[in-house]
């Protein structure tokens, strides 16, 4: 299968992805962001492809799947913030690597076998529902059945990982609020769930932005910890390809698990490169491969495998199917809404039922306030897309920042509009599909993370308490803080 994303050949200082390049951007001139346009470097070439089920001698039936390489204008790895080593690793973030593991599992050398786990982002499910013309629950089962027909052992929903990310963000905001003063500027707190935004903040902005990034790990990073630490120590049951295999394995080494994440955007591939899921197990990577929703859809469309719908798995010992749910966000994991309600209750004893968003500059820049007796107690904002992000950065730089908290996402419209899904063959947003997805996502039941009994169980059984050292290691991270590039703040978007 030849995917439509190719690597552009940059000229001049950028060079070609994968060739030697400085780790950090130079600041000797004004720059124009490479996200604005695409090159015509064969991006939309899609030759005839053999079906997934076609055998190809010793190389396996999936050998001819093309490399799914990142097109830099689809992510925030603009200019030279992708190093040579990262470029080489990114070339492996594709379907070919996924099927390499599947083929290894089909061979007789069991020492090479791996337990293959796929985790699906909540924002990817509406895309599959729209493309398959199914309800989101039926689309989830169809996707699960397809993946298991290929040889995947477990398929998980990532909503529980977002639970942890949100809960830790809530606690951190309250702590920062109490610590904030003229001498110690702990606020504003900027969300860290979007890897494109975090990459830009780390590699281009540096100080004064990185100290304001929330240290809670993103849902993808948390899911890596759950799969390769918690799940690896639980009982693993039979292989989907061997009906009579009843073996039970405990304390599986994390390197024996190949963890794939299905995500709506390409930035998640970059994020996977830096995922050390636990300082207690150095060198272990939480996510081994990221495939976009669009890449998976192409596999499904080109497959002639017989697929039966299958129940999505659960991380827990009960056999109940995981219910499709989401958090209170229009196109994201809803950090703003959940942190806002929690802060209102914890800091001011105010119970907020309905959150009112006020659009300011545009529909992707919205404000939420908590007022009492004419006084603004909390002022939160959602800034989606880099035009809005750039305005926020400039305000922060000038010391004229009115917000306590900002949910920052690189994609206009949020995660549903990730560049890895709902795209036309020319690389533009498919607005019809996106509108369908927005309606589907809005109808998914919302479950507050505080109400999850499984999350509380994990805090105690897996993390040894909500404020333990293990919880800090598994659920929090730190950020690079290179010297700030002042010219980058003048970048055109």
């Amino acid at each position: 299968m030849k995917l439509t994303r190719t690597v552009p050949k940059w000229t001049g200082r950028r060079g070609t992805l994968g060739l030697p390049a400085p780790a950090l951007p130079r600041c000797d001139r004004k720059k124009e962001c490479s996200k604005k346009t695409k090159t015509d470097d064969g991006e939309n070439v899609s030759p005839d492809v053999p079906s997934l089920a076609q055998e190809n001698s010793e190389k396996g039936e999936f050998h001819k799947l093309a490399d799914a390489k990142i097109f830099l204008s689809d992510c925030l790895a603009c200019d030279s913030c992708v190093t040579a080593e990262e470029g080489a690793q990114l070339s492996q973030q594709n379907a070919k690597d996924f099927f390499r593991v599947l083929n290894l599992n089909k061979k007789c050398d069991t020492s090479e076998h791996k337990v293959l786990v796929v985790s699906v982002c909540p924002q990817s499910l509406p895309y599959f529902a729209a493309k398959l013309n199914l309800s989101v629950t039926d689309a989830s089962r169809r996707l699960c059945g397809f993946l298991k027909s290929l040889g995947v052992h477990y398929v998980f929903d990532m909503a529980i990982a977002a639970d942890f990310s949100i809960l830790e963000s809530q606690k951190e905001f309250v702590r920062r609020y109490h610590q904030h003063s003229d001498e110690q500027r702990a606020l504003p707190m900027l969300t860290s769930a979007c890897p494109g935004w975090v990459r830009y903040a780390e590699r281009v902005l540096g100080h004064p932005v990185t100290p304001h990034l929330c240290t809670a790990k993103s849902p993808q990073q948390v899911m890596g910890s759950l799969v390769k630490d918690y799940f690896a120590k639980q009982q693993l049951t039979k292989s989907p390809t061997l009906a009579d295999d009843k073996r039970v394995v405990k304390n599986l080494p994390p390197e024996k698990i190949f963890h794939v994440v299905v995500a709506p955007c390409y930035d998640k591939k970059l994020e996977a490169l830096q995922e050390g899921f636990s300082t207690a197990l150095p060198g272990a990577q939480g996510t081994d491969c990221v495939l976009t929703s669009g890449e998976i859809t192409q596999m499904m469309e080109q497959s002639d495998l017989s697929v039966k719908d299958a129940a999505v798995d659960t991380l827990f010992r009960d056999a109940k199917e995981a219910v499709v749910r989401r958090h209170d966000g229009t196109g994201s994991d809803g950090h703003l809404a959940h942190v806002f309600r929690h802060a209102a209750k914890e800091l001011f004893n105010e119970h907020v039922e309905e959150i009112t968003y006020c659009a300011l500059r545009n529909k992707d820049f919205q404000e939420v306030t908590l007022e009492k007796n004419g006084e603004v107690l909390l002022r939160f904002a959602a800034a989606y897309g880099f035009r809005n992000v750039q305005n926020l950065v400039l305000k922060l730089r000038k010391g004229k920042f009115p917000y306590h908290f900002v949910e920052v996402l690189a994609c206009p419209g949020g995660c549903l509009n990730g560049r890895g899904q709902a795209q036309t063959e020319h690389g533009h947003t498919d607005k019809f599909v996106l509108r369908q997805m927005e309606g589907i996502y809005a109808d998914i039941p919302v479950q507050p993370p505080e109400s999850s009994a499984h999350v509380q169980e994990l805090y105690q059984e897996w993390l040894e308490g909500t404020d333990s050292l293990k919880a800090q290691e598994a659920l929090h991270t730190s950020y690079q803080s290179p010297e700030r590039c002042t010219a980058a703040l003048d970048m055109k978007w």
Side-chain angles (χ1 to χ4, degrees):
M1 178 175 65
K2 177 80 171 174
L3 297 180
T4 60
R5 304 281 177 197
T6 61
V7 179
K9 295 181 179 179
W10 298 108
T11 59
R13 186 163 59 87
R14 289 185 177 93
T16 303
L17 181 63
L19 294 180
L24 298 174
R26 290 169 51 190
C27 304
D28 53 357
R29 62 182 177 85
K30 286 189 176 182
K31 297 172 285 184
E32 186 162 330
C33 178
S34 60
K35 281 178 64 64
K36 290 181 62 178
T37 58
K38 293 179 180 292
T39 69
D40 295 319
D41 194 16
E43 180 187 11
N44 295 313
V45 178
S46 183
D48 294 335
V49 181
S51 70
L52 293 182
Q54 183 177 354
E55 290 293 338
N56 187 6
S57 66
E58 51 185 59
K59 292 186 178 180
E61 65 259 44
F62 309 121
H63 175 72
K64 291 188 177 181
L65 282 168
D67 295 353
K69 296 179 181 178
I70 290 182
F71 190 82
L72 291 188
S73 62
D74 286 331
C75 70
L76 293 175
C78 52
D79 213 351
S80 47
C81 68
V82 173
T83 66
E85 181 183 1
E86 289 169 335
Q89 290 174 311
L90 281 172
S91 68
Q92 298 175 10
Q93 290 280 331
N94 56 52
K96 186 175 180 180
D97 196 40
F98 171 54
F99 286 114
R100 175 186 62 79
V101 177
L102 287 172
N103 283 326
L104 281 176
N105 283 356
K106 292 178 180 294
K107 296 183 177 180
C108 296
D109 186 358
T110 57
S111 66
E112 297 292 327
H113 289 189
K114 292 190 177 184
V115 174
L116 221 158
V117 177
V118 174
S119 300
V120 183
C121 292
Q123 292 79 25
S124 291
L125 288 178
Y127 176 70
F128 292 111
K131 294 293 288 185
L132 298 171
N133 196 27
L134 296 171
S135 70
V136 71
T137 298
D138 289 342
S140 177
R141 291 171 177 162
R142 182 68 51 83
L143 172 64
C144 183
F146 171 71
L147 292 170
K148 290 191 174 184
S149 72
L150 295 178
V152 171
H153 299 88
Y154 295 91
V155 179
F156 296 131
D157 173 49
M158 281 178 57
I160 193 167
D163 287 339
F164 279 106
S165 182
I166 292 168
L167 289 172
E168 293 299 308
S169 297
Q170 290 177 172
K171 291 190 292 185
E172 182 171 338
F173 177 79
V174 171
R175 184 172 65 252
R176 282 177 179 254
Y177 187 91
H178 287 307
Q179 293 173 346
H180 182 72
S181 65
D182 290 337
E183 294 75 28
Q184 186 178 358
R185 310 295 291 181
L187 296 176
M189 189 172 92
L190 310 175
T191 59
S192 55
C194 172
W197 149 244
V198 170
R199 187 78 168 192
Y200 174 64
E202 286 187 300
R203 293 294 179 94
V204 180
L205 300 178
H207 285 288
V209 174
T210 49
H212 295 282
L213 289 173
C214 177
T215 66
K217 286 185 178 181
S218 71
Q220 177 171 301
Q221 292 170 319
V222 174
M223 198 67 194
S225 299
L226 281 167
V227 168
K228 293 212 174 179
D229 188 14
Y230 174 76
F231 176 71
K233 295 173 182 176
Q234 307 304 306
Q235 64 178 15
L236 304 177
T237 55
K238 64 184 181 181
S239 162
T241 58
L242 299 173
D244 58 343
D245 186 357
K246 304 295 184 181
R247 292 172 297 173
V248 174
V249 182
K250 292 185 178 180
N251 293 319
L252 192 71
E255 61 271 15
K256 295 297 290 184
I257 297 177
F258 191 81
H259 182 212
V260 180
V261 166
V262 177
C265 76
Y266 290 88
D267 289 332
K268 294 290 186 181
K269 294 176 184 276
L270 283 166
E271 182 180 31
L273 299 184
Q274 296 179 315
E275 283 182 36
F277 73 92
S278 173
T279 55
L281 293 167
Q285 189 168 324
T287 301
D288 299 289
C289 180
V290 174
L291 299 176
T292 65
S293 318
E295 290 174 84
I296 296 293
T297 300
Q298 281 191 306
M299 294 180 201
M300 297 176 77
E301 290 173 347
Q302 297 178 13
S303 169
D304 56 7
L305 296 175
S306 177
V307 176
K308 292 183 179 180
D309 292 357
V312 177
D313 298 296
T314 172
L315 284 165
F316 305 95
R317 295 181 182 88
D318 58 48
K320 297 177 182 177
E321 180 181 5
V323 178
V324 177
R325 60 186 179 90
R326 68 176 178 92
H327 296 94
D328 195 359
T330 54
S332 67
D333 283 312
H335 283 72
L336 185 152
H338 292 288
V339 174
F340 186 82
R341 288 194 179 97
H342 179 79
K345 182 66 176 176
E346 288 294 311
L347 298 172
F348 305 104
N349 199 30
E350 293 288 332
H351 178 72
V352 177
E353 188 73 35
E354 191 90 16
I355 292 182
T356 302
Y357 292 84
C358 178
L360 299 180
R361 291 175 175 270
N362 50 66
K363 65 183 179 64
D364 281 327
F365 190 103
Q366 300 190 71
E367 187 177 276
V368 178
T369 58
L370 177 68
E371 298 184 32
K372 189 174 184 179
N373 300 326
E375 179 186 2
V376 176
L377 303 177
L378 292 174
R379 190 186 300 274
F380 281 29
Y384 300 167
F386 260 72
R387 289 186 182 276
N388 292 320
V389 171
Q390 188 73 351
N391 286 325
L392 287 176
V393 170
L394 291 173
K395 285 183 178 181
L396 185 61
R397 182 188 179 192
K398 294 175 181 178
K400 298 180 179 180
F401 203 84
Y403 301 106
H404 297 96
F405 175 99
V406 185
E407 182 179 77
V408 186
L409 297 175
C411 295
C415 299
L416 286 180
N417 192 30
R419 300 299 292 272
Q421 60 187 22
Q423 297 289 298
T424 66
E425 61 181 10
H426 302 296
H428 303 297
T429 298
D430 189 326
K431 294 182 178 179
F432 175 74
V433 173
L434 182 60
R435 283 195 297 270
Q436 282 185 292
M437 291 165 58
E438 289 170 343
I440 292 167
Y441 194 68
D443 289 337
I444 298 175
V446 173
Q447 180 178 320
E450 298 89 345
S451 66
S452 173
H454 281 145
V455 169
Q456 300 308 317
E457 175 186 332
L458 284 169
Y459 266 121
Q460 300 308 316
E461 292 187 5
W462 173 44
L463 299 173
E464 302 168 2
T466 56
D467 299 312
S468 68
L469 177 60
K470 186 170 183 180
Q472 179 67 27
E473 291 177 347
L475 303 178
H476 288 266
T477 188
S478 59
Y479 302 101
Q480 302 174 31
S481 295
E483 183 179 351
R484 182 171 58 83
C485 173
T486 54
L489 293 174
D490 299 323
M491 187 183 288
K492 298 176 184 179
W493 296 100

